[in-house]
Amino acid sequence: MADTREESEPLLSRARGGSSRDCPRGVPSCSSVQEGPGVVARRDLCLDQAVVLIEDAIQYRSINHRMDARSLWLYRRYYSSSSQWILSFTIFLILALAFVETPSSLTRTSDVRYRPAPWEAPCGLTEGIEAVCLLVFAADVSVKSYLIGWAQFRRNPWLLAYLLVLVVYLLDWIVSLSLVCQEPLRVRRLLRPFFLMQNSSMMKKTLKCIRRSLPEMASVGLLLAVHLCLFTVFGMLLFTGEKDAGQDRERLTYFFNLPEALTTLLVLLTTANNPDVMIPVYSRNRAYAVFFIAYTLIGSLFLMNLMTAIIYNQFRGYLMMSLQTSLLRRRLGTRAAYKVLSSMIAEGEGRPERLGVKPEDFLQVLQKVQLDSDHKQAITEKLHSRSGGLLSTDEFQKLFDEFDKRVIKEHPPRPEYRSPFLRSTQFLFGHHYFDYLGNLMALGNLVTICVFLVLDAHVLPKDRDDFVLGILNCIFILYYLLEMLLKVFSLGPQGYLSYSSNVFDGLLTTVLLVLEISTLAVYGFPHRGWKPAMLGLLSLWDMTRLVNVLIVFRFLRIIPSMKLMSLVASTILDLIKNMRAFGGILVVIYYVFAIVGISLFRGVVVAPRNSSLASDNGSAPCGSFEQLEYWPNNFDDFAAALVTLWDVMIVNNWQVFLDAFRRYAGPWSEVYFVLWWLVSSVIWVNLFLALILEVVDTPAQALLSWSF
């Protein structure tokens, strides 16, 4: 939260670093020149300052930056859409290098049995791209440090860490080139996610909240560890019978030694191996079920849900507090802009400075502000609707309420026809009941596809007769084309394109029409026994499948027509918009763990024919890595590592991965996977669930004012 003195002191005073830092000596400040040739320069500087302050208010940015003319010019260029796009693209590019660098992910499959030798980038190619990215990041940190000043730079831990990361990255880059790209480990790969985090204020807030939650999460984690250790000891004592075959099988399979018993019960905490772990002894004596039920009840249903409750308790009010901070920044920015504009009134006019702001000055500033035209028009109309005179503080603040409102775009007027028949036709096909008919036809098309999928489930694609389905698809596509043309006739071209649902519908209809014409041109009109040989790039079956996929996708057009589905869909979209920071956190932890996994486990999973450790599928134990043919799950490249981590995060059969990598890489590999489970499935998933609950409880209008 901002300092409380920010509301009581002048926003551009020397106490806030306004005169000494924001306006250096020799540069005319907004309130220093009262007459003479510098009046024009003073007015221009005041307008530029107001523009920047209003843009800071719109984007919820802090106003602790320089305010001289040169700095304002640089500040606006830095936060322009083109500069921010270049910075975002640079971050994306340096993160995406992991897919191309050695080990390259540019193969069709990650299965160690079928994967060909990947294309490897020559030495210097990716390093050259990294050099360009480093130059962009160096410029980024230089501009930021200049704009906020050295005093603020020294107190900003993120900018200091930014500079340190760039230095370490550059040193590792130099080492890589000096070794001709043959170094065994590239430390700089682990530093790349930092560039993503430091560019997002919401990710920084999220990390701060996670750090605040760590002590309480650690206390629950300690309870989980005690619970796990106690039941491990109990299990090893219970399942050591010499005469009972069930006990002996349980001991040999799951409780052979302490590490294996710990792993077994840890997996049982996620219920991934339930009830497999219980069956050997339960089949001999039903009383043993009490042990496993008690363990699961205490661990999974109580302690794990307690972890969720603690995280949610820490995040309760998280969105609202962030919103309050953002609104305070907006209030400070608008108040500072008001003060700057009110200082432009000359003393000769006989009005004190505090009276207000000239509407024409505000309109001149508004034209320079980077804001969409709809909001500018709404603010201008609200300004013109008031009576004459200067804008007071309250009136000036209320103008910015338009930023938080959704601008409802008015659709272009419909074309006017003179003929009564054309007007009747326009009314008929422009009515919303015509949309319902189109939805009914789309549903019918989807039903026919489902019927033929069921009927032809046991027929090979080469033996299928697509005559009836081909005829029906032609009829439906012709109807879609007719529907599109009639809507264009009723609404006009501009009116038709003003609806996003019509754009979606028309685009898919055009693609379907092109595919259908291509199919007819290559394979002829459908007829009985329609099984032509493959011509061109796609066979008839491939063309049919592609058309059917697009038809199914087109069925999504019904969502805006159904109020409940539309409400749910809009809620999901709002959740996605307002949880991008948590998606960024997920990208960071995936990236780091994938790079570490490649360094630890690259090449340990080998094809059966190349290793005595990997048995053939026929001789492998049931449920093992080899018998389930999990060969594509490995850490031989970055893309395969991401998929493997995803499979482990779902915790379905993750004991298979623990067992396989313990055999291939050693028992220490379990530490890596347990850490991944803790970070992803325990902390991040619970964090995600807590945030969803918080978002649902937060008013929708508050969510709309969030910014990434």
Side-chain angles (χ1 to χ4, degrees):
M1 300 291 289
D3 196 338
T4 55
R5 69 190 178 98
E6 291 179 345
E7 285 293 334
S8 59
E9 295 181 357
L11 293 174
L12 300 178
S13 67
R14 191 176 291 270
R16 289 181 56 86
S19 300
S20 62
R21 176 174 55 84
D22 296 338
C23 296
R25 293 180 181 179
V27 180
S29 66
C30 189
S31 57
S32 59
V33 182
Q34 300 294 335
E35 57 184 7
V39 173
V40 177
R42 171 183 175 269
R43 176 179 174 82
D44 292 340
L45 179 60
C46 287
L47 292 177
D48 291 339
Q49 288 179 348
V51 168
V52 170
L53 291 171
I54 290 176
E55 289 178 348
D56 288 341
I58 295 173
Q59 300 297 330
Y60 307 108
R61 294 193 294 254
S62 300
I63 59 175
N64 56 343
H65 52 80
R66 297 177 184 269
M67 297 295 289
D68 59 276
R70 184 177 60 181
S71 298
L72 291 176
W73 178 87
L74 180 61
Y75 187 84
R76 295 200 71 199
R77 295 301 179 275
Y78 175 78
Y79 281 108
S80 64
S81 56
S82 57
S83 298
Q84 293 302 305
W85 184 89
I86 292 174
L87 181 59
S88 300
F89 178 76
T90 304
I91 295 173
F92 167 79
L93 184 62
I94 200 168
L95 291 175
L97 286 178
F99 292 97
V100 183
E101 292 175 324
T102 304
S104 174
S105 302
L106 303 180
T107 56
R108 183 176 181 179
T109 178
S110 62
D111 195 316
V112 295
R113 298 170 298 177
Y114 315 122
R115 181 179 57 203
W119 175 83
E120 299 291 349
C123 182
L125 177 61
T126 57
E127 287 74 16
I129 297 176
E130 286 180 292
V132 175
C133 295
L134 284 178
L135 290 176
V136 175
F137 293 140
D140 179 47
V141 70
S142 300
V143 171
K144 284 181 177 179
S145 60
Y146 170 77
L147 290 175
I148 67 173
W150 175 246
Q152 290 289 335
F153 178 80
R154 288 182 300 175
R155 293 195 295 266
N156 193 319
W158 281 98
L159 287 180
L160 293 175
Y162 196 0
L163 184 61
L164 179 63
V165 166
L166 287 177
V167 172
V168 176
Y169 200 105
L170 179 62
L171 293 176
D172 189 71
W173 180 81
I174 295 174
V175 171
S176 180
L177 287 182
S178 62
L179 297 177
V180 199
C181 308
Q182 298 298 321
E183 72 280 15
L185 178 65
R186 295 187 179 183
V187 180
R188 63 182 183 275
R189 291 180 178 178
L190 295 173
L191 303 178
R192 290 172 183 170
F194 177 83
F195 301 127
L196 177 63
M197 290 190 296
Q198 65 83 28
N199 196 47
S200 171
S201 60
M202 286 309 306
M203 288 181 65
K204 296 174 185 177
K205 292 180 181 179
T206 304
L207 289 174
K208 184 178 180 180
C209 194
I210 293 174
R211 185 182 60 185
R212 188 180 61 187
S213 306
L214 284 178
E216 294 190 18
M217 286 192 291
S219 63
V220 179
L222 182 60
L223 286 176
L224 278 172
V226 172
H227 168 71
L228 178 62
C229 292
L230 286 178
F231 272 84
T232 299
V233 175
F234 291 156
M236 295 191 68
L237 293 175
L238 285 173
F239 309 126
T240 56
E242 299 179 356
K243 298 180 180 180
D244 195 330
Q247 285 183 335
D248 192 56
R249 188 153 62 96
E250 182 81 16
R251 179 182 65 84
L252 294 176
T253 306
Y254 300 109
F255 292 88
F256 183 72
N257 52 39
L258 184 62
E260 191 163 341
L262 281 170
T263 303
T264 297
L265 291 182
L266 179 64
V267 174
L268 183 60
L269 197 64
T270 64
T271 69
N273 58 353
N274 184 67
D276 300 351
V277 67
M278 182 180 68
I279 291 301
V281 291
Y282 179 66
S283 61
R284 299 289 178 175
N285 190 335
R286 69 179 69 215
Y288 284 114
V290 176
F291 170 83
F292 296 99
I293 292 174
Y295 175 80
T296 306
L297 185 65
I298 297 173
S300 300
L301 301 183
F302 177 70
L303 292 179
M304 294 299 291
N305 288 324
L306 181 62
M307 177 77 75
T308 304
I310 287 176
I311 294 177
Y312 176 65
N313 183 60
Q314 288 293 328
F315 269 78
R316 182 180 298 171
Y318 165 71
L319 291 183
M320 192 57 65
M321 289 177 60
S322 299
L323 178 62
Q324 290 173 354
T325 303
S326 300
L327 292 179
L328 179 59
R329 287 181 176 180
R330 171 170 291 184
R331 181 176 177 83
L332 290 174
T334 53
R335 180 180 169 185
Y338 177 83
K339 182 175 179 60
V340 169
L341 291 176
S342 62
S343 67
M344 293 174 57
I345 302 177
E347 295 181 0
E349 296 183 11
R351 298 190 183 97
E353 178 181 324
R354 67 181 61 185
L355 277 182
V357 174
K358 292 182 179 180
E360 54 269 24
D361 291 340
F362 177 74
L363 287 176
Q364 187 175 357
V365 169
L366 186 63
Q367 297 304 316
K368 296 182 179 181
V369 172
Q370 295 181 2
L371 185 65
D372 60 274
S373 58
D374 295 327
H375 282 95
K376 281 186 178 180
Q377 182 179 358
I379 295 174
T380 304
E381 292 176 356
K382 187 174 182 178
L383 183 63
H384 289 319
S385 64
R386 60 179 295 276
S387 57
L390 298 178
L391 289 170
S392 64
T393 305
D394 293 337
E395 290 176 330
F396 192 83
Q397 289 281 356
K398 289 179 180 179
L399 289 176
F400 292 90
D401 293 340
E402 300 296 324
F403 294 145
D404 297 328
K405 297 180 180 179
R406 282 184 176 177
V407 179
I408 301 176
K409 295 183 179 180
E410 296 184 359
H411 300 286
R414 297 187 177 188
E416 298 181 359
Y417 299 103
R418 297 182 179 180
S419 171
F421 173 76
L422 293 180
R423 288 199 297 268
S424 301
T425 305
Q426 182 186 29
F427 173 79
L428 179 63
F429 296 110
H431 200 274
H432 61 274
Y433 283 159
F434 186 60
D435 292 332
Y436 295 157
L437 177 61
N439 293 338
L440 185 62
M441 294 294 291
L443 178 61
N445 196 355
L446 181 62
V447 170
T448 58
I449 293 174
C450 294
V451 169
F452 279 94
L453 287 176
V454 173
L455 295 177
D456 296 337
H458 300 289
V459 182
L460 295 176
K462 63 179 181 179
D463 298 329
R464 294 182 181 181
D465 188 355
D466 296 321
F467 164 68
V468 178
L469 184 59
I471 292 293
L472 291 175
N473 280 344
C474 286
I475 295 174
F476 280 113
I477 291 173
L478 288 177
Y479 173 80
Y480 299 153
L481 177 62
L482 179 62
E483 179 189 19
M484 182 180 67
L485 295 177
L486 290 175
K487 284 187 176 181
V488 172
F489 166 78
S490 302
L491 303 175
Q494 294 182 351
Y496 179 84
L497 296 175
S498 64
Y499 294 88
S500 57
S501 58
N502 287 342
V503 174
F504 172 79
D505 194 18
L507 179 62
L508 286 181
T509 300
T510 304
V511 175
L512 285 171
L513 183 63
V514 171
L515 285 175
E516 192 65 25
I517 293 175
S518 303
T519 303
L520 296 178
V522 175
Y523 295 105
F525 197 77
H527 55 272
R528 288 291 180 185
W530 195 34
K531 302 175 185 177
M534 177 176 176
L535 299 174
L537 297 176
L538 299 175
S539 65
L540 176 61
W541 170 241
D542 293 332
M543 297 283 282
T544 304
R545 283 195 303 169
L546 184 57
V547 169
N548 291 337
V549 167
L550 292 176
I551 289 174
V552 173
F553 188 63
R554 186 182 180 275
F555 184 70
L556 296 176
R557 57 167 281 169
I558 71 168
I559 292 179
S561 304
M562 302 180 67
K563 292 184 178 180
L564 183 59
M565 291 182 62
S566 178
L567 178 62
V568 174
S570 61
T571 303
I572 293 175
L573 290 177
D574 286 339
L575 287 174
I576 294 174
K577 292 177 182 178
N578 293 285
M579 290 192 296
R580 286 177 292 181
F582 284 81
I585 297 294
L586 185 64
V587 169
V588 169
I589 62 176
Y590 260 95
Y591 201 98
V592 172
F593 271 86
I595 295 298
V596 173
I598 291 173
S599 302
L600 296 177
F601 307 120
R602 180 188 174 189
V604 300
V605 177
V606 293
R609 60 181 180 273
N610 296 331
S611 174
S612 59
L613 293 175
S615 56
D616 294 333
N617 186 39
S619 59
C622 182
S624 64
F625 186 90
E626 295 80 11
Q627 189 270 332
L628 295 173
E629 296 188 346
Y630 280 5
W631 302 110
N633 292 290
N634 53 66
F635 290 89
D636 291 350
D637 58 71
F638 187 73
L642 293 178
V643 176
T644 303
L645 290 174
W646 172 263
D647 292 338
V648 176
M649 188 183 78
I650 302 301
V651 300
N652 183 30
N653 276 353
W654 75 298
Q655 72 276 9
V656 176
F657 296 92
L658 290 174
D659 174 70
F661 282 91
R662 181 175 65 245
R663 289 186 284 109
Y664 288 124
W668 54 267
S669 62
E670 293 182 351
V671 177
Y672 171 85
F673 288 101
V674 171
L675 284 176
W676 170 247
W677 168 73
L678 286 173
V679 174
S680 62
S681 296
V682 177
I683 297 179
W684 189 88
V685 171
N686 284 318
L687 197 68
F688 184 73
L689 177 60
L691 188 66
I692 287 180
L693 296 174
E694 180 70 11
V695 167
V696 171
D697 292 338
T698 304
Q701 289 297 328
L703 293 178
L704 294 176
S705 59
W706 263 50
S707 65
F708 183 51

